[in-house]
Amino acid sequence: MQRILSVIAIIDTPTPEGWINQLIDRLEARDKVQLNIVVQEPAGQPVDASDSLSESATHGDNASGGSMRGFRPASGSWPGRLASRLLHQRIDRPRFSANPWLRETLHASTSTQVLNAENCGTLLADCDVVLKLTGTKLPDPLWPPASVPVWDAHLETLGARTEDSLLQRESLNWVHLWSHSRGDGSHTVQTRRIASHALPRQSFSLTDLSRAAWFCLPALIDSRLNWLAHDSDPVSTEYSGSLPMAGRTIDPEVRAAHSRAEELQRRAYHPPARSGLHRLALALALWWSQSVERVRHHFWYEQWQLAFRNDGPDALFHSAGTETTAERLENSNRLDALANGRVGDFVTIDSPERVWWADPHLYRHEDDLYVFFEEMALDADYGHLSVARLTDEGRVESVAKVLDEGHHLSYPFVFNDDKEIYMIPETASMQSVQLYRAQHFPEQWVKVKDLLCNVNLADSTVHFDGERWWMFTNGMSHRSVDERDELHLYHADNVTGPWQAHPMNPVVTGVDRARMAGSIIRDGSGLYRPSQFGALRYGHGINLHRIDRLDLQSYSETTVGRLLPEAGSPWLGCHSTSYLDGVTVVDRVTRRRRH
């Protein structure tokens, strides 16, 4: 049941930082959220909106501008700290220029009020959630009544935590959101984690990582408030758990992130203190890794290839009704390639040198099995779509270009409806989701219509549940995040639309599991969603999720498997898969020597 959620945002100035204005814009667009804004009095210390590492180094570790904001000085000798900071500046080569800390005039369409000790009880008493959007601690007299929680990303230390994640070379950079509440008549604050959002850690740039951390906050806070407005607990909606398969834990990164969030609470949200020499050693290791990557790039290039596995047409579920989901998966070959497989278990499909073949989608037409895929030469400006017949032994025949529109195309999702064969390619560069129909299968396609317009969505995948069509598609919380970290749902009575957005959008967030990696897989009454695991690098692995609930009110899933490159393997990762009649095709990436 939907309700109007009353939210009060506490800011420290009528000219808040850019990311705060983006959050306000999103919340004011929600019809189930009523937003009120108050300015804390007295205002906190002025914040320098400069955005450079040199500014941070000049003003010291506590400089509020730039990517070092919120850093707590480490113990130890200052020469070590200074050397590590100078090395950071040499390593840092940001790709994005947008500055989340640049102060702007308040975007809010409603008037603001000044919050002080005298009116605190009146202003905050009747709301559902208080958002603390200040970089300073909330004074005791300004805390709301015991029944009102305060949501906080602890901005005071977010910069320090981002820097620590980079220095430690963690596989994912996590942004956490906490909820604080006080008991009746007590000053004791009870805290619980509301959300953990995974960001990519593939960049060496601390500035880019910091920008991504702040710029993802509007989407993170907005989505959790929206879930709460629809009577869904943010924690359980975010992550319903995973099934242990073959004695291994599926989501160790997620579990570790939750443990780190608890540890952060115990440490007052600061990363562990390190001596100047220790920090210098970590910075030197980071610089060395960056240097190795740059040298390697001169002699090697990365190539995406297709790979094949044939478990036979009988690779279907023959499970008894008494078996658990975990037992059915372990006893089945159908999903074994994704639930328990290894990237090296697949046989490479030969492809030309200096050409990428990626995003495979299988389709059977009459007696032939076809694989559609993205094809892109390394020196090309954009990719096009191609098709080939796939033999039982994994050979491709009659490779042909099927769609080239003068802009980038990928992820050719092919399906049928009412005896027509359709394709939805990825056309995010055109700000639309487009539908094509096969005029002469498999090589001639004509555009039918735009299913969605003025959207930045990718990897759109449709599924018919017998009653309505569902579209799984991926957005981005912000361009600076540099990855598709939001899963959105749409539904329609007909594949041609009109398509309606799900009220819980985005239904999944984080680069660890949001982005689609292929078609929805059906097992009798069960549905499974493959997704990309974007840790360490883009396209590191593939998750398999069991869809627990898919309806007009809610969505939930449970992780049941993951396909990853094994240690020492020549394969660096994989990010898309397609299954049909016992055949599984994935794309995987490796390095090849330049000639």
Side-chain angles (χ1 to χ4, degrees):
M1 178 179 178
Q2 298 180 358
R3 62 190 178 97
I4 302 298
L5 192 72
S6 176
V7 177
I8 290 182
I10 300 178
I11 59 177
D12 57 9
T13 173
T15 56
E17 296 174 345
W19 72 269
I20 296 177
N21 271 318
Q22 291 187 14
L23 172 60
I24 290 171
D25 291 341
R26 294 180 69 125
L27 293 180
E28 289 195 329
R30 293 282 186 188
D31 57 0
K32 297 299 178 183
V33 174
Q34 178 183 350
L35 177 66
N36 293 286
I37 301 172
V38 298
V39 179
Q40 177 181 330
E41 184 186 69
Q45 294 298 317
V47 178
D48 181 5
S50 60
D51 182 18
S52 69
L53 288 172
S54 59
E55 281 286 310
S56 299
T58 301
H59 291 108
D61 287 331
N62 280 324
S64 54
S67 61
M68 298 294 188
R69 58 175 293 175
F71 173 73
R72 184 180 68 170
S75 59
S77 60
W78 67 265
R81 296 201 309 271
L82 178 61
S84 65
R85 185 57 53 86
L86 293 175
L87 192 56
H88 262 309
Q89 295 180 58
R90 181 173 180 80
I91 295 171
D92 193 81
R93 298 187 180 185
R95 295 177 53 205
F96 303 101
S97 59
N99 180 3
W101 312 291
L102 185 65
R103 292 191 175 269
E104 307 170 348
T105 302
L106 188 64
H107 287 188
S109 59
T110 58
S111 60
T112 61
Q113 301 183 61
V114 175
L115 179 69
N116 52 45
E118 287 72 27
N119 64 13
C120 174
T122 303
L123 289 179
L124 306 185
D126 296 328
C127 69
D128 296 299
V129 175
V130 171
L131 298 179
K132 187 181 85 68
L133 305 180
T134 66
T136 56
K137 182 180 179 181
L138 191 65
D140 288 342
L142 299 186
W143 273 81
S147 59
V148 180
V150 176
W151 286 17
D152 177 22
H154 210 271
L155 306 176
E156 301 93 310
T157 58
L158 183 54
R161 287 181 271 128
T162 303
E163 182 178 15
D164 188 66
S165 174
L166 175 63
L167 287 175
Q168 292 296 109
R169 306 298 308 279
E170 294 175 355
S171 60
L172 288 164
N173 184 25
W174 290 91
V175 175
H176 303 290
L177 185 64
W178 288 274
S179 174
H180 313 279
S181 59
R182 292 189 172 187
D184 291 329
S186 171
H187 290 285
T188 302
V189 177
Q190 302 294 326
T191 300
R192 72 178 186 122
R193 184 191 58 84
I194 288 294
S196 295
H197 186 83
L199 294 171
R201 230 296 298 138
Q202 58 216 35
S203 173
F204 289 97
S205 169
L206 178 56
T207 298
D208 278 347
L209 292 176
S210 297
R211 287 169 176 160
W214 260 273
F215 270 135
C216 84
L217 285 175
L220 175 62
I221 297 172
D222 170 50
S223 64
R224 272 43 179 194
L225 287 173
N226 183 47
W227 295 355
L228 190 63
H230 289 81
D231 293 327
S232 294
D233 176 65
V235 176
S236 59
T237 303
E238 171 194 280
Y239 182 73
S240 59
S242 63
L243 297 175
M245 300 298 300
R248 61 192 176 96
T249 301
I250 301 300
D251 274 348
E253 292 81 11
V254 173
R255 297 179 187 278
H258 295 180
S259 298
R260 284 197 296 271
E262 295 173 357
E263 182 63 24
L264 280 170
Q265 295 176 44
R266 290 191 289 269
R267 289 200 305 262
Y269 307 97
H270 285 281
R274 294 185 175 89
S275 68
L277 289 178
H278 188 191
R279 285 173 47 79
L280 177 59
L282 293 174
L284 283 170
L286 188 67
W287 169 80
W288 176 254
S289 298
Q290 183 192 54
S291 301
V292 168
E293 286 296 320
R294 287 177 178 163
V295 171
R296 180 182 288 149
H297 179 72
H298 287 291
F299 297 98
W300 301 79
Y301 67 92
E302 291 188 358
Q303 182 185 33
W304 285 92
Q305 303 175 344
L306 302 186
F308 163 91
R309 171 170 162 170
N310 191 349
D311 292 311
D314 296 327
L316 303 174
F317 279 167
H318 302 288
S319 58
T322 57
E323 288 182 325
T324 67
T325 300
E327 289 170 338
R328 291 206 312 273
L329 283 170
E330 288 192 12
N331 294 335
S332 166
N333 290 326
R334 177 173 181 176
L335 298 179
D336 184 66
L338 298 178
N340 295 306
R342 299 177 300 175
V343 176
D345 293 339
F346 293 78
V347 177
T348 299
I349 296 175
D350 291 334
S351 60
E353 289 191 9
R354 300 186 62 79
V355 172
W356 284 3
W357 283 7
D359 294 346
H361 286 265
L362 295 171
Y363 188 86
R364 185 171 294 281
H365 184 65
E366 298 176 348
D367 294 330
D368 292 322
L369 182 62
Y370 294 88
V371 57
F372 291 80
F373 53 92
E374 172 197 353
E375 183 171 19
M376 181 175 176
L378 260 64
D379 56 354
D381 294 327
Y382 60 87
H384 62 265
L385 303 182
S386 295
V387 67
R389 278 200 304 270
L390 186 63
T391 69
D392 292 342
E393 294 77 28
R395 297 191 305 273
V396 291
E397 301 174 345
S398 305
V399 179
K401 181 187 294 186
V402 298
L403 200 61
D404 188 340
E405 300 285 56
H407 56 79
H408 185 69
L409 297 171
S410 62
Y411 200 85
F413 180 77
V414 181
F415 64 103
N416 62 73
D417 177 45
D418 195 22
K419 299 182 180 179
E420 295 283 1
I421 303 175
Y422 293 104
M423 177 197 295
I424 302 179
E426 186 268 295
T427 53
S429 62
M430 303 303 292
Q431 297 293 296
S432 63
V433 176
Q434 302 177 3
L435 178 68
Y436 285 76
R437 177 177 54 83
Q439 190 174 50
H440 187 273
F441 187 88
E443 296 182 20
Q444 295 181 13
W445 298 80
V446 294
K447 182 179 175 180
V448 177
K449 64 179 300 187
D450 290 340
L451 300 180
L452 297 171
C453 300
N454 300 317
V455 293
N456 183 4
L457 298 172
D459 301 347
S460 300
T461 305
V462 297
H463 167 74
F464 185 64
D465 66 2
E467 181 178 354
R468 63 178 54 88
W469 286 91
W470 294 95
M471 181 190 296
F472 297 74
T473 188
N474 294 110
M476 189 179 297
S477 60
H478 191 273
R479 181 68 185 91
S480 295
V481 173
D482 199 27
E483 183 52 274
R484 301 279 170 177
D485 58 343
E486 293 185 341
L487 175 65
H488 292 254
L489 278 178
Y490 291 81
H491 59 87
D493 293 332
N494 301 292
V495 72
T496 53
W499 289 88
Q500 302 294 322
H502 196 282
M504 293 278 285
N505 279 343
V507 296
V508 175
T509 71
V511 299
D512 57 323
R513 65 189 189 280
R515 188 168 186 172
M516 295 299 295
S519 307
I520 301 298
I521 303 172
R522 180 183 291 278
D523 160 41
S525 60
L527 297 176
Y528 295 84
R529 183 181 75 92
S531 74
Q532 296 187 25
F533 180 56
L536 294 177
R537 55 158 294 135
Y538 169 70
H540 181 58
I542 298 173
N543 306 302
L544 185 65
H545 312 280
R546 184 192 66 211
I547 297 176
D548 299 319
R549 181 176 177 183
L550 174 61
D551 55 43
L552 296 177
Q553 290 76 41
S554 188
Y555 176 84
S556 63
E557 62 184 27
T558 299
T559 307
V560 296
R562 181 173 290 166
L563 179 66
L564 295 173
E566 51 272 26
S569 167
W571 308 109
L572 308 178
C574 57
H575 76 2
S576 293
T577 183
S578 184
Y579 172 88
L580 186 63
D581 299 338
V583 174
T584 305
V585 176
V586 301
D587 56 6
R588 57 188 185 183
V589 62
T590 189
R591 292 191 182 95
R592 302 190 71 164
R593 186 180 294 276
R594 298 182 186 272
H595 296 296

